[in-house]
Amino acid sequence: MKQQEVKMIKAVFFDVDGTIVSHTRGEVSASTREAVSRLKAKGIRCVVATGRHMSELRKLPVKDIGFDAYITLNGQLCLGRDHTVISSSEITGVDKDRIIRLFEEKEIPIILVEKDRMYINFVNREVEQTQKDISSDMPERREYTGGEIYQAIAYVGKDREDWLKNILPGSRITRWNDRAVDIISRNGGKVTGIKQYLKENHISAQESMAFGDGENDMEMLEFAGVGIAMGNAEDMVKKSADYVTDSVDNRGIENALRYFSVI
């Protein structure tokens, strides 16, 4: 996409890990904070679009940034500025039953994510290293007690991903770490939440911009009027974007917004 083809941007959607938050530095850079502040000063909506749970966001360096909305759990649970629920979509049917069985059999580590909590069946080295990679505490260990499940996280390598997809044919499985994948309903995804937000705020897709670096961001980057991959993204993510900016540690968000004359 060429610079001059960009329409007036009214909403910008941001992935969190590796996009807003640098886990090499454990912070949101001053450059990114300033860029978000300038967007908000121009009346442009700034929205989080992440696989994270709201309880995790409250512990990350984004907690003091006043976003206009939060598309969490890869679109499964969408919250307004005041964290009230805008829309939600839980995992149901056969796939829910199979996820619970996997959780209870403890063959692989699995986190179950409910509206107000998330918990794991057991912890191994893969879980410990993955949580360290994303600057997150270890989830609590507990049993499933019958709550609605909005997302599951399975700690499996790429060699077991096809196995998991065969077990859960009605789910969407996207990788966000070499050791872990998100599991949501087939009809879910960040774009589902983004569409809902745009519709309610009378904004077209062409008036939106999205930033991301992971596999679960690819559909979002393709859907937005301008999809921007971070320089630290994998090659397949970069191919789904309109533009590749610099890395999260090298003013990536600010540089892209300046390139497209949004700020």
Side-chain angles (χ1 to χ4, degrees), residues 152-221:
I153 300 170
Y155 292 83
V156 294
K158 294 180 180 179
D159 59 321
R160 301 199 74 183
E161 191 170 327
D162 287 341
W163 164 77
L164 194 61
K165 288 179 177 178
N166 288 333
I167 293 174
L168 304 171
S171 297
R172 175 178 293 193
I173 297 174
T174 55
R175 181 163 296 281
W176 53 268
N177 183 281
D178 287 343
R179 307 177 200 88
V181 296
D182 287 332
I183 304 169
I184 59 174
S185 61
R186 174 65 65 185
N187 296 325
K190 292 185 180 183
V191 168
T192 301
I194 289 172
K195 285 181 177 178
Q196 180 73 16
Y197 182 83
L198 293 176
K199 181 179 179 181
E200 290 188 1
N201 290 278
H202 309 289
I203 300 171
S204 71
Q206 289 303 310
E207 294 171 318
S208 71
M209 177 178 280
F211 287 85
D213 73 310
E215 181 182 332
N216 63 346
D217 297 318
M218 291 171 63
E219 186 183 34
M220 173 177 77
L221 299 185

Side-chain angles (χ1 to χ4, degrees), residues 30-83:
S31 164
T32 296
R33 288 180 178 277
E34 177 64 19
V36 172
S37 178
R38 291 192 179 192
L39 289 173
K40 292 172 69 66
K42 293 182 67 173
I44 297 172
R45 307 289 181 90
C46 295
V47 181
V48 163
T50 180
R52 293 275 200 171
H53 191 273
M54 197 67 218
S55 63
E56 295 179 291
L57 296 180
R58 293 189 185 106
K59 298 177 182 178
L60 290 174
V62 298
K63 63 186 178 183
D64 61 335
I65 301 175
F67 290 100
D68 293 290
Y70 301 83
I71 296 169
T72 68
L73 307 182
N74 291 304
Q76 297 291 95
L77 191 60
C78 303
L79 311 173
R81 183 181 304 172
D82 58 355
H83 301 174

Side-chain angles (χ1 to χ4, degrees), residues 223-234:
F223 173 79
V226 185
I228 299 172
M230 303 301 289
N232 46 280
E234 293 188 14

Side-chain angles (χ1 to χ4, degrees), residues 4-170:
Q4 61 267 30
E5 293 176 345
V6 177
K7 287 189 175 184
M8 180 177 290
I9 299 299
K10 295 182 179 179
V12 182
F13 298 91
F14 298 97
D15 172 53
V16 173
D17 298 287
T19 299
I20 291 182
V21 175
S22 165
H23 290 296
T24 58
R25 298 182 178 180
E27 64 179 11
V28 178
S29 69
S31 164
T32 296
R33 288 180 178 277
E34 177 64 19
V36 172
S37 178
R38 291 192 179 192
L39 289 173
K40 292 172 69 66
K42 293 182 67 173
I44 297 172
R45 307 289 181 90
C46 295
V47 181
V48 163
T50 180
R52 293 275 200 171
H53 191 273
M54 197 67 218
S55 63
E56 295 179 291
L57 296 180
R58 293 189 185 106
K59 298 177 182 178
L60 290 174
V62 298
K63 63 186 178 183
D64 61 335
I65 301 175
F67 290 100
D68 293 290
Y70 301 83
I71 296 169
T72 68
L73 307 182
N74 291 304
Q76 297 291 95
L77 191 60
C78 303
L79 311 173
R81 183 181 304 172
D82 58 355
H83 301 174
T84 56
V85 177
I86 297 173
S87 64
S88 62
S89 177
E90 64 270 15
I91 299 173
T92 60
V94 174
D95 276 33
K96 177 182 178 180
D97 295 338
R98 290 175 177 172
I99 289 169
I100 293 169
R101 191 179 309 127
L102 285 171
F103 181 88
E104 293 175 341
E105 290 175 349
K106 298 183 179 180
E107 181 179 348
I108 58 173
I110 292 181
I111 289 177
L112 298 183
V113 185
E114 300 180 6
K115 179 178 177 293
D116 297 314
R117 64 185 180 183
M118 52 192 299
Y119 50 93
I120 196 167
N121 53 353
F122 74 96
V123 172
N124 60 14
R125 287 184 180 179
E126 283 70 27
V127 175
E128 291 174 349
Q129 185 58 54
T130 304
Q131 295 304 105
K132 183 178 179 181
D133 288 347
I134 59 173
S135 308
S136 290
D137 296 334
M138 206 65 62
E140 65 172 331
R141 277 173 271 191
R142 59 179 299 144
E143 301 299 317
Y144 175 65
T145 56
E148 298 292 350
I149 300 170
Y150 292 89
Q151 179 174 277
I153 300 170
Y155 292 83
V156 294
K158 294 180 180 179
D159 59 321
R160 301 199 74 183
E161 191 170 327
D162 287 341
W163 164 77
L164 194 61
K165 288 179 177 178
N166 288 333
I167 293 174
L168 304 171

